[in-house]
Amino acid sequence: MSIKRSAFLRNLAFGLSTSFVLAACGGAPTDTADSDDPAAADSAGSEAVTGTLTVATEPAFPPFEFQNEDGELDGFDIDLMTAIGEAAGLEVQFESLPFDGIIPALQAGTVDAAISGMTITEERLQTVDFSRPYVKAGLAIAVKEENTEVATLDDLQDKKIAVQIGTTGAEQAAEIPGAEISTFDSAPLALQELANGNVDAVINDAPVTLDAIASGNIDGLKVVGELLTTEFYGIAMPKGSENVEIVNDALMTMMEDGTYAEIYQEWFGEEPPELPESAF
Ligand code: ARG
């Protein structure tokens, strides 16, 4: 699978401006684990959950989460979360949910965590907790290959834009004056709407749009301009969950012992960028 997905990288290198790559190398702090929350040691009692962690995901977001040809969940997030479970001695049970249903499910406590290419935002932090950042990404604009009019956000005024519901891309689109926004349940559906010529642009996470183009899943689209944002993905958990510490400890261990880099290599074909300890 890694071979097929490496198309994502080629595209990154050629297609997009190098800004994603540059962003990925951008000067993140190099502090390591030990400065991490000294209070954590006191709160002890790490044995949350019962041995099984129910983890929500919206699996139409390759290469992070998707259903493979055998109908199984696959992707970077899936491999990472499974490895976190192994490191923490917990069995991970995935549950597919609509993206905009994930935070409500966490709040209601019907799932223990969510890994879904979910950006750590200040707004979401009001209602859920996040693990430390595990991916650096950002939003990008996609248009039809032949479109020469759109290069920046400003060019999208009064245009038709498709987005996935409940995403940071949807929020970004909502701020564009005069834009007519159509929301879809998944990113591929939004991209298909663009390919069909029914909208002028899609605002979506750059790695996912680039993967859709590179894998040939969607034809006739290109990514324009610079990344609109820098975003960090985190694993979301209910506010105050004891699992935050467990997940962070596992992530930390995996970042130090090379397991994280191995999984990253497998999906993105390169060394992971430096990641900050927290998104804000
Ligand atoms: N990173 C964006 C956000 O958090 C989009 C995530 C969409 N994820 C998915 N699995 N569909 O809003």
Side-chain angles (χ1 to χ4, degrees):
M1 61 183 155
S2 49
I3 294 172
K4 200 160 128 203
R5 292 287 153 188
S6 69
F8 161 64
L9 277 183
R10 278 200 303 279
N11 197 292
L12 260 190
F14 300 150
L16 221 203
S17 57
T18 45
S19 55
F20 180 76
V21 177
L22 290 177
C25 305
T30 37
D31 303 349
T32 42
D34 304 2
S35 55
D36 200 355
D37 187 10
D42 299 330
S43 62
S46 305
E47 266 89 68
V49 203
T50 54
T52 303
L53 205 61
T54 311
V55 182
T57 191
E58 190 280 301
F61 209 59
F64 296 100
E65 44 267 332
F66 58 95
Q67 288 199 323
N68 65 23
E69 284 140 24
D70 304 323
E72 287 157 0
L73 281 182
D74 208 344
F76 175 80
D77 283 357
I78 304 303
D79 285 354
L80 184 72
M81 195 66 227
T82 303
I84 288 172
E86 272 161 28
L90 293 168
E91 193 197 319
V92 173
Q93 203 166 346
F94 290 102
E95 190 174 315
S96 296
L97 286 181
F99 189 71
D100 63 342
I102 289 179
I103 288 186
L106 289 166
Q107 287 182 288
T110 53
V111 294
D112 299 312
I115 190 160
S116 203
M118 190 181 279
T119 303
I120 305 171
T121 68
E122 306 214 54
E123 194 190 342
R124 288 172 181 160
L125 279 167
Q126 315 271 315
T127 49
V128 295
D129 284 346
F130 280 96
S131 70
R132 57 183 294 134
Y134 71 87
V135 156
K136 188 171 190 171
L139 297 173
I141 300 169
V143 296
K144 290 269 240 181
E145 241 161 24
E146 60 271 22
N147 184 321
T148 51
E149 285 169 17
V150 175
T152 67
L153 270 184
D154 287 344
D155 301 328
L156 290 180
Q157 289 195 21
D158 304 317
K159 292 277 185 336
K160 292 185 188 157
I161 306 171
V163 296
Q164 182 183 12
I165 191 165
T167 59
T168 49
E171 271 167 35
Q172 183 75 246
E175 283 169 18
I176 300 170
E180 189 183 315
I181 297 165
S182 2
T183 51
F184 292 84
D185 288 340
S186 76
L189 287 174
L191 290 166
Q192 191 57 57
E193 188 75 352
L194 174 59
N196 293 348
N198 297 329
V199 292
D200 302 301
V202 163
I203 300 181
N204 184 44
D205 297 41
V208 172
T209 298
L210 289 168
D211 185 81
I213 295 170
S215 65
N217 286 343
I218 310 251
D219 271 340
L221 303 187
K222 66 178 179 188
V223 165
V224 292
E226 312 252 307
L227 283 193
L228 306 175
T229 53
T230 297
E231 301 186 7
F232 294 103
Y233 295 168
I235 297 163
M237 286 163 274
K239 265 241 159 292
S241 167
E242 297 151 295
N243 293 317
V244 174
E245 195 187 331
I246 295 172
V247 166
N248 277 338
D249 284 351
L251 259 178
M252 180 73 65
T253 306
M254 290 162 51
M255 283 172 171
E256 279 166 3
D257 73 8
T259 312
Y260 171 86
E262 207 174 289
I263 298 170
Y264 195 94
Q265 271 282 0
E266 187 178 338
W267 287 98
F268 302 113
E270 63 182 9
E271 284 296 310
E274 293 272 1
L275 292 167
E277 257 181 71
S278 87
F280 297 105

